[in-house]
Amino acid sequence: DNFEAFVKEYIERFKFGVIDSDDFRKFVHEKLAKDGNLDNFGWEKWFNEPGLPPVTPSFDEKLFLSCWKLAEAWLNCNDAKPVPEDPKVSEFMN
């Protein structure tokens, strides 16, 4: 919810205009910084150093792995071995 509100306000404020990295950083701090949560963000690495910043996002892969397993089952199915139901995928689709 916070991110969606942030993006909407970002678009509204800067539409039809141009901003630089410093303007973006100020906007992020104005809208998202709470209790020093961005103090150690590492803006210099993100803006001024080559390559990707050292951030590895983590994702919940349970649904992805269930879908992958189901896709493999579909690829390997035949009349003698029908495709099994996967409750995680069925729940997500409903």
Side-chain angles (χ1 to χ4, degrees):
D1 292 336
N2 289 342
F3 181 73
E4 186 176 331
F6 169 82
V7 171
K8 285 180 180 179
E9 189 165 344
Y10 173 85
I11 291 169
E12 186 60 34
R13 184 183 292 186
F14 298 111
K15 67 182 174 185
F16 309 119
V18 176
I19 67 169
D20 61 19
S21 298
D22 195 49
D23 293 332
F24 178 74
R25 180 180 7 203
K26 287 176 187 173
F27 183 76
V28 168
H29 272 280
E30 176 187 324
K31 298 299 169 188
L32 299 179
K34 292 179 178 65
D35 302 322
N37 64 344
L38 292 177
D39 290 350
N40 298 319
F41 182 74
W43 292 101
E44 291 305 313
K45 282 187 180 284
W46 281 86
F47 288 149
N48 298 318
E49 292 185 11
L52 295 173
V55 175
T56 304
S58 62
F59 301 99
D60 181 353
E61 296 181 343
K62 290 178 203 152
L63 183 59
F64 165 77
L65 293 174
S66 293
C67 291
W68 190 264
K69 202 164 120 182
L70 188 57
E72 285 180 337
W74 285 339
L75 290 172
N76 297 319
C77 76
N78 56 44
D79 291 337
K81 186 179 173 187
V83 176
E85 287 288 323
D86 188 313
K88 290 179 192 145
V89 175
S90 300
E91 179 183 321
F92 177 76
M93 297 302 288
N94 293 328

